Amino acid sequence: MDFKKEETLRKGPWLEEEDERLVKFITLLGERRWDSLAKVSGLKRSGKSCRLRWMNYLNPSLKRGPMSQEEDRIIFQLHALWGNKWSKIARRLPGRTDNEIKNYWRTHSRKKEEAQNYDKVIEWRGNTGEELLHNYKETEITRTRTTSHEHGFVEVVSMESGKETNCGICGRESYGFMNSPYENRISDWISEISTDQSEANISEDHSSSSSENNINIGTWWFQETRDFEEFSCSLWS
DNA sequence: AATGGCCCCAACCGCCGTTTC
DNA sequence: AGAAACGGCGGTTGGGGCCAT
């Protein structure tokens, strides 16, 4: 372990400049190899920190704003079924992160327990998982049939009874993300980078790029690490 | 206006499973 | 096959903002 490197890693709240840089490099390199991305971007952040920032805040597919009544209901019902399986619950609510749901639940669970009666949950206790799912399907789907369809609720139930798919409970078309000026800027950067790619200095001769010093980013090839770093700086400036 | 308490949420930490070399 | 790196997950923390006093 390189102690000096660890020592210079930044922690705490992200700066706007850091966000900008992170978004640019994720657009270039994709959502993977976070440690490499953190290093090559020049961000004094751990790969893990970069990943978290993207997953929980910068990702444009995230839904912003307060939880709807529908989401609230779903969170509490799924938590009653699965417990603290936040990521599993989050997969049923596209645009919401496990962190967000976890925070929301922690904040509201106490109030909820006091304010609401949990007749349904209590009634379900002692049942098997299949019975729980059956009850869940019978009671909730029927009660919310009108809105359920527009939110893809039926598909969720079919998932729970067997196959996992990528569909979720809430329809993306109803999202209100990209509301703040900051979020709009992030969206703009992504668009700009897509356009900029056609103007970048790209080596087309992939076959000749077999040196181990070459860096391959999608269809982009850099012959030296230095070339890539210079290119990176040009994106930043 | 000052302050103390509470709420909210972004970010970190540690662990563990998976992937890569 | 095994070690190292990576990524995902759930728990926890710290700080900013709001509100009542």
Side-chain angles (χ1 to χ4, degrees):
Chain A
M1 178 182 296
D2 188 337
F3 180 71
K4 279 193 173 177
K5 269 186 184 172
E6 288 295 316
E7 198 178 37
T8 57
L9 286 180
R10 266 181 51 77
K11 288 184 182 178
W14 281 66
L15 303 173
E16 190 172 335
E17 303 91 79
E18 291 179 305
D19 284 343
E20 288 184 29
R21 183 172 275 236
L22 180 60
V23 168
K24 283 184 177 179
F25 275 87
I26 288 171
T27 307
L28 283 171
L29 305 175
E31 299 174 41
R32 61 195 172 84
R33 308 286 289 183
W34 292 102
D35 278 353
S36 305
L37 190 148
K39 281 173 193 162
V40 86
S41 67
L43 286 165
K44 292 181 172 56
R45 296 279 184 173
S46 68
K48 211 167 182 174
S49 180
C50 292
R51 177 184 163 272
L52 213 61
R53 183 62 177 171
W54 174 256
M55 297 292 193
N56 287 342
Y57 192 81
L58 295 174
N59 191 329
S61 68
L62 292 179
K63 181 182 181 181
R64 317 296 297 184
M67 294 284 181
S68 66
Q69 285 189 341
E70 177 82 354
E71 287 173 316
D72 174 276
R73 191 174 57 76
I74 289 162
I75 289 169
F76 279 88
Q77 286 174 344
L78 292 183
H79 185 271
L81 283 172
W82 297 331
N84 297 356
K85 299 296 178 188
W86 307 117
S87 61
K88 193 173 180 180
I89 295 170
R91 281 195 285 270
R92 305 298 179 261
L93 291 165
R96 299 296 189 184
T97 68
D98 55 347
N99 209 32
E100 194 176 8
I101 291 168
K102 179 169 56 185
N103 283 333
Y104 183 82
W105 189 86
R106 288 178 65 85
T107 301
H108 292 82
S109 60
R110 238 175 298 155
K111 291 180 192 170
K112 203 97 172 177
E113 278 177 19
E114 291 165 7
Q116 287 188 343
N117 62 40
Y118 268 85
D119 289 347
K120 192 168 288 129
V121 175
I122 293 164
E123 185 183 306
W124 286 354
R125 282 181 185 160
N127 292 343
T128 65
E130 284 305 312
E131 286 167 338
L132 289 175
L133 289 170
H134 178 74
N135 289 342
Y136 181 57
K137 185 176 178 178
E138 290 300 313
T139 59
E140 297 305 323
I141 300 299
T142 305
R143 189 163 67 82
T144 61
R145 187 166 296 280
T146 308
T147 54
S148 293
H149 276 285
E150 67 188 53
H151 289 109
F153 200 90
V154 172
E155 287 80 352
V156 171
V157 172
S158 70
M159 274 192 299
E160 296 316 320
S161 56
K163 287 173 276 185
E164 292 267 344
T165 72
N166 287 329
C167 60
I169 285 169
C170 296
R172 281 174 182 271
E173 64 277 6
S174 63
Y175 287 177
F177 55 74
M178 292 307 190
N179 290 330
S180 72
Y182 185 23
E183 287 159 350
N184 285 332
R185 282 189 63 190
I186 291 169
S187 178
D188 290 344
W189 299 329
I190 293 170
S191 304
E192 283 171 20
I193 290 165
S194 302
T195 308
D196 288 348
Q197 285 186 351
S198 59
E199 298 165 8
N201 184 19
I202 301 170
S203 167
E204 293 292 321
D205 186 8
H206 295 185
S207 60
S208 65
S209 304
S210 56
S211 160
E212 50 185 33
N213 287 333
N214 290 346
I215 298 172
N216 171 218
I217 304 164
T219 58
W220 299 17
W221 286 75
F222 298 86
Q223 294 196 341
E224 301 286 348
T225 304
R226 192 181 60 253
D227 293 340
F228 177 66
E229 286 171 352
E230 285 173 9
F231 172 69
S232 304
C233 291
S234 74
L235 284 172
W236 183 234
S237 58

